[in-house]
Amino acid sequence: MDKQIVFISDIHGNMEAFKNVLKDIEQRKISLEDVYCLGDCVGYGTRPDDVINQIKELGITSILGNYDEAVGFYLPTCGCSIESVSDKHKTQNALRWTVKHTSDENKEFLREFEEQITIEAGGKRILLTHASPVSITDYVYEDNTEKQEEIADELEEDIIVFGHTHIPYVKKVKDKLFINAGSVGRPKDGDNRACYCILTIGEAVEAEFVRVPYDIETVAAEIEESELLDSFAMVLRTGRDTK
């Protein structure tokens, strides 16, 4: 019998998107024991505590993302390379607001996340991490073949699943399968619907990216009514990063 595993990533405080994704998973009758979060539960969105509380209530195994780390440990940045003054301003705004609006109890919960774990299913070993085995702030895009080959050479597992870039893809490199699960709460590939990944392991291994609509305008309005930057709302509407 085929084994199905769900990977969600980069919810970023977007409870509306997360709620609809969970409904979709439930309708597919996939057990929550087979659902894994690849990090960045918080940041950019207005409901970090709601997202964390839901993850705790459902017992979803979660990996440490760079925003989880920054909020949980009160770090001054999220660890990403800052390319411009504008990027730095966005990061600082998101972090300061999220730290202020995340409970101490939930910050402590974020600090308990592991940076990576390995699971086994259907005879396959799967490494789960937020960005890459190198760092939770590393970017591994689909066209980064040289970087993927370097990771594949060191990778003991058969499959690596991650997020961080908010752009989903599946790619085989040196007999290793690379899967980016995309983003539930802040997609950047031009499709503004919530995205998550179902990995089916049987005679073959298949990754399916599921797109789930949600009430984007409600979430965007919450952002614009808060002290978060209005540009964060535009990212949700367009499904693309703003410069």
Side-chain angles (χ1 to χ4, degrees):
M1 185 175 178
D2 291 352
K3 175 68 173 179
Q4 287 191 312
I5 309 171
V6 166
F7 301 106
I8 58 177
S9 190
D10 297 276
I11 303 167
H12 282 294
N14 187 337
M15 189 61 194
E16 286 297 315
F18 187 31
K19 180 173 62 178
N20 282 19
V21 163
L22 289 171
K23 286 181 182 178
D24 193 83
I25 294 168
E26 181 182 14
Q27 289 170 358
R28 293 169 186 268
K29 302 188 184 306
I30 299 174
S31 170
L32 288 172
E33 292 181 356
D34 295 317
V35 177
Y36 295 86
C37 178
L38 304 175
D40 275 8
C41 303
V42 300
Y44 298 111
T46 59
R47 296 169 67 183
D49 271 341
D50 288 347
V51 169
I52 296 170
N53 289 338
Q54 184 74 93
I55 287 172
K56 287 196 293 188
E57 180 182 333
L58 298 177
I60 295 174
T61 300
S62 298
I63 304 299
L64 184 71
N66 53 299
Y67 269 88
D68 304 325
E69 180 184 54
V71 171
F73 289 92
Y74 302 91
L75 301 182
T77 73
C78 65
C80 296
S81 58
I82 304 300
E83 297 179 355
S84 68
V85 173
S86 174
D87 289 335
K88 184 175 182 179
H89 177 56
K90 291 175 185 177
T91 300
Q92 291 300 318
N93 173 263
L95 282 180
R96 287 173 182 149
W97 191 95
T98 305
V99 166
K100 183 177 178 181
H101 292 85
T102 303
S103 71
D104 290 342
E105 179 183 348
N106 281 338
K107 290 188 183 86
E108 182 178 357
F109 180 71
L110 293 176
R111 293 196 292 270
E112 295 173 356
F113 290 177
E114 295 185 53
E115 287 194 20
Q116 56 188 42
I117 64 171
T118 297
I119 63 174
E120 295 190 21
K124 301 292 184 182
R125 299 184 73 231
I126 308 167
L127 178 67
L128 311 184
T129 187
H130 178 62
S132 89
V134 177
S135 166
I136 62 172
T137 63
D138 192 23
Y139 289 96
V140 184
Y141 292 100
E142 186 171 7
D143 61 355
N144 293 151
T145 302
E146 183 176 348
K147 182 180 287 188
Q148 290 159 345
E149 288 177 345
E150 291 174 357
I151 292 171
D153 285 339
E154 299 294 326
L155 190 65
E156 296 180 357
E157 293 83 356
D158 306 290
I159 303 168
I160 177 170
V161 191
F162 52 100
H164 190 50
T165 68
H166 301 206
I167 301 175
Y169 71 87
V170 56
K171 181 179 180 181
K172 197 159 194 177
V173 180
K174 292 190 172 185
D175 293 326
K176 305 291 186 178
L177 196 63
F178 286 70
I179 301 172
N180 188 307
S183 172
V184 168
R186 207 170 186 259
K188 294 182 182 178
D189 63 339
D191 188 331
N192 61 10
R193 295 173 296 173
C195 178
Y196 76 95
C197 178
I198 301 175
L199 182 66
T200 303
I201 302 176
E203 290 187 8
V205 177
E206 297 181 355
E208 175 190 3
F209 299 109
V210 181
R211 296 287 185 166
V212 182
Y214 70 97
D215 187 352
I216 293 174
E217 278 307 312
T218 291
V219 182
E222 287 180 1
I223 290 172
E224 290 170 341
E225 291 167 4
S226 74
E227 294 178 354
L228 289 165
L229 297 176
D230 289 353
S231 61
F232 299 163
M234 188 56 63
V235 172
L236 302 187
R237 292 185 175 111
T238 64
R240 296 193 182 279
D241 203 0
T242 56
K243 300 299 181 183

